[in-house]
């Protein structure tokens, strides 16, 4: 068996321990005589799986009782529509556009009401987070929307925007469970799990109860109302059961590692190795403003497209996979989520040093 160092932005690396445990339980889940893939989502066994997953997530994130946890489908993209359909009572919302994902959410919201771009970093190819301490947010805006960690560009909000009392909605797909968060600062936190938590097919929505109402926009499908899923404890329809089961295992893995404060420390140490190297390299450089750097996604370039391509090819041959940058920006990107071991980044940096010495004056 061969395992590579997988720097994919998503679907991405998962903890090996979790994969091994799932493999052991594949044919016979704890004496049931069947796989979790094969069992009824209404069974006692699955009920325990989903309830334990929720309880562990609540413990990890310290989620208050007045928030619901929903395990849904449709990825982050479906939330781009569900958020306005459920929250745009005044048909007005403020969007902070810090990358492709925020932009897509902003454009989707325009279908349902007046989406107002209150800040953007598009002027400098989304390489920084704009100052959001005193934005011009309309009094009657239903919410303020951010993409907290910008997967493609490698920026992260280090301080949340001043929403001036408005509800904050955040897409945290690529920084989910990478560090502690204060859930009470948000109305909705949501993330597709395939970046940092589990297999594609599950999106987790953490939503304050007062935002769950029947009062959605007209023609909102039953399946796209938060209330439908909240009332049914995420079992309105057949949920992505196997995916939820794997997420549950990742939650237990995180608890065993000491929870989110310990993960933050580990992730900071890990990212620092790569950033420190980039900061002194004569060949490679990071593309993001230092104070806004993400701990999860690290884009970098040589400044020469041919050399970038050569690097990606040789890295792959050496066992470092998926280092190509997003198709919209080029260059390289190393995604170093929770499950990427420090050793993976150390080895990558060794490889980069070696590549630099061979190619610097080539
Ligand atoms: C990957 C990603 C998305 C898109 O997720 P899908 O599950 O494909 O809809 C949205 N937002 C962020 C921040 C992402 O990283």
């Amino acid at each position: 068996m061969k395992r590579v160092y997988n720097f994919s932005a998503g679907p991405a690396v998962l903890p090996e321990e979790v994969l091994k445990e799932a493999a052991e339980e594949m044919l016979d889940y704890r004496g049931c005589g069947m796989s979790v893939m094969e069992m009824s989502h209404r069974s006692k066994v699955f009920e325990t799986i989903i309830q334990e997953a929720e309880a562990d997530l609540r413990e990890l994130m310290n989620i208050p009782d007045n928030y619901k946890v929903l395990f849904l489908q449709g990825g982050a993209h479906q939330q781009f529509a569900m958020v306005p359909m459920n929250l745009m009572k005044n048909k007005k919302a403020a969007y902070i556009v810090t990358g492709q994902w925020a932009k897509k959410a902003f454009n989707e919201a325009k279908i349902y009401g007046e989406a107002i771009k209150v800040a953007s970093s598009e002027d400098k190819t989304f390489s920084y987070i704009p100052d959001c301490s005193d934005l011009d947010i309309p009094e009657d805006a239903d919410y303020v929307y951010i993409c907290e960690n910008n997967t493609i560009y490698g920026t992260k909000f280090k301080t949340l925007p001043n929403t001036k009392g408005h509800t904050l909605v955040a897409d945290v797909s690529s920084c989910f469970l990478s560090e502690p968060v204060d859930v009470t600062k948000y109305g909705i936190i949501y993330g597709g799990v395939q970046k940092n938590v589990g297999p594609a097919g599950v999106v987790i929505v953490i939503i304050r109860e007062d935002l769950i109402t029947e009062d959605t926009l007209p023609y909102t499908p039953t399946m796209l109302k938060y209330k439908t899923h909240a009332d049914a404890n995420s079992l309105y329809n057949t949920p992505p059961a196997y995916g939820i089961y794997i997420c549950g295992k990742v939650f237990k893995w995180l608890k065993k590692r000491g929870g989110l404060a310990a993960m933050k420390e580990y992730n900071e140490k890990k990212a620092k190795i790569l950033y420190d190297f980039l900061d002194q390299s004569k060949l490679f450089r990071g593309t993001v403003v230092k104070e806004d750097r993400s701990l999860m996604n690290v884009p970098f370039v040589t400044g020469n497209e041919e050399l970038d391509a050569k690097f990606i090819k040789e890295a792959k041959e050496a066992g470092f996979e998926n280092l190509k940058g997003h198709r919209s920006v080029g260059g390289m990107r190393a995604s170093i989520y929770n499950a990427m071991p420090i050793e993976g980044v150390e080895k990558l940096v060794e490889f980069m040093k070696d590549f630099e010495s061979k190619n610097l004056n080539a």
Side-chain angles (χ1 to χ4, degrees):
M1 185 194 71
K2 176 187 100 163
R3 296 271 298 165
V4 296
Y5 289 112
N6 180 7
F7 293 93
S8 170
V13 57
L14 286 170
E16 218 165 271
E17 248 176 273
V18 166
L19 297 177
K20 278 187 184 147
E21 226 180 81
E24 275 163 26
E25 293 173 348
M26 180 59 79
L27 295 180
D28 176 8
Y29 178 73
R30 300 185 186 176
C32 292
M34 63 177 93
S35 164
V36 173
M37 259 184 249
E38 301 171 299
M39 64 179 58
S40 165
H41 60 293
R42 310 271 174 215
S43 64
K44 262 270 168 285
V45 178
F46 185 72
E47 201 175 285
T48 306
I49 291 173
I50 192 169
Q51 283 172 359
E52 253 184 52
E54 177 174 339
D56 287 335
L57 181 65
R58 283 186 176 277
E59 187 182 326
L60 279 169
M61 292 180 72
N62 197 18
I63 300 173
D65 287 343
N66 64 325
Y67 284 75
K68 287 270 188 198
V69 173
L70 309 176
F71 295 96
L72 307 180
Q73 288 164 288
H77 275 86
Q78 184 147 291
Q79 294 309 307
F80 297 170
M82 258 176 105
V83 167
M85 282 176 144
N86 285 269
L87 262 53
M88 262 193 181
K89 320 277 180 201
N90 296 327
K91 295 223 169 188
K92 199 178 276 185
Y95 278 73
I96 298 171
V97 178
T98 52
Q100 299 277 15
W101 298 123
K103 198 174 184 177
K104 264 189 143 172
F106 169 62
N107 286 331
E108 187 73 13
K110 286 185 203 161
I111 298 173
Y112 303 101
E114 191 184 346
I116 300 156
K117 196 194 288 179
V118 291
S120 166
S121 53
E122 194 161 14
D123 59 333
K124 290 183 181 154
T125 345
F126 300 120
S127 59
Y128 69 103
I129 299 290
D131 177 4
C132 298
S133 57
D134 186 20
L135 299 173
D136 193 6
I137 300 165
E139 200 54 48
D140 59 345
D142 293 300
Y143 58 89
V144 175
Y145 182 101
I146 61 167
C147 176
E148 192 159 329
N149 184 80
N150 296 279
T151 326
I152 297 172
Y153 301 93
T155 58
K156 160 119 205 296
F157 281 83
K158 300 290 162 81
T159 44
L160 293 174
N162 176 2
T163 64
K164 301 184 173 172
H166 295 84
T167 296
L168 180 64
V169 175
D171 174 358
V172 299
S173 295
S174 51
C175 59
F176 219 164
L177 304 178
S178 63
E179 57 184 87
V181 287
D182 180 355
V183 175
T184 64
K185 295 219 159 83
Y186 305 80
I188 295 181
I189 302 177
Y190 77 84
V193 305
Q194 74 271 22
K195 308 286 161 68
N196 211 13
V197 186
V202 184
V203 56
I204 295 176
V205 177
I206 299 157
I207 177 169
R208 212 175 55 224
E209 270 170 355
D210 61 284
L211 299 171
I212 305 171
T213 65
E214 269 297 352
D215 178 26
T216 58
L217 295 187
Y219 304 110
T220 299
T222 307
M223 268 297 284
L224 298 188
K225 292 179 180 175
Y226 290 123
K227 189 161 195 316
T228 303
H229 300 286
D231 286 352
N233 295 316
S234 302
L235 293 171
Y236 173 72
N237 69 318
T238 316
Y242 196 80
I244 294 168
Y245 153 77
I246 299 290
C247 289
K249 285 201 181 300
V250 172
F251 300 155
K252 292 212 186 288
W253 177 79
L254 289 167
K255 277 172 65 178
K256 216 162 71 188
R257 304 240 341 212
L260 301 192
M263 275 330 293
K264 178 175 198 228
E265 205 177 301
Y266 190 78
N267 288 328
E268 279 174 346
K269 198 170 147 196
K270 184 167 56 178
K272 187 174 187 305
I273 296 168
L274 186 47
Y275 284 126
D276 281 353
F277 170 72
L278 289 171
D279 286 344
Q280 59 74 54
S281 172
K282 294 192 172 62
L283 183 66
F284 299 99
R285 66 175 174 84
T287 55
V288 166
V289 168
K290 273 190 194 173
E291 48 285 14
D292 300 328
R293 283 169 164 177
S294 165
L295 290 180
M296 297 282 101
N297 311 97
V298 184
F300 56 95
V301 294
T302 63
N304 173 331
E305 273 180 42
E306 267 169 49
L307 209 50
D308 286 354
K310 184 174 182 220
F311 174 79
I312 292 159
K313 181 170 170 284
E314 290 181 11
K316 186 180 166 73
E317 285 160 7
F320 305 101
E321 292 266 357
N322 292 313
L323 282 165
K324 201 171 182 334
H326 189 268
R327 59 187 187 278
S328 65
V329 290
M332 282 76 74
R333 172 179 49 172
S335 293
I336 51 175
Y337 297 119
N338 282 344
M340 171 60 65
I342 279 187
E343 174 204 81
V345 173
E346 283 170 347
K347 292 208 167 136
L348 174 66
V349 166
E350 269 170 49
F351 178 82
M352 289 168 77
K353 278 182 187 162
D354 186 52
F355 185 89
E356 175 171 309
S357 69
K358 286 176 183 148
N359 292 277
L360 191 53
N361 299 308

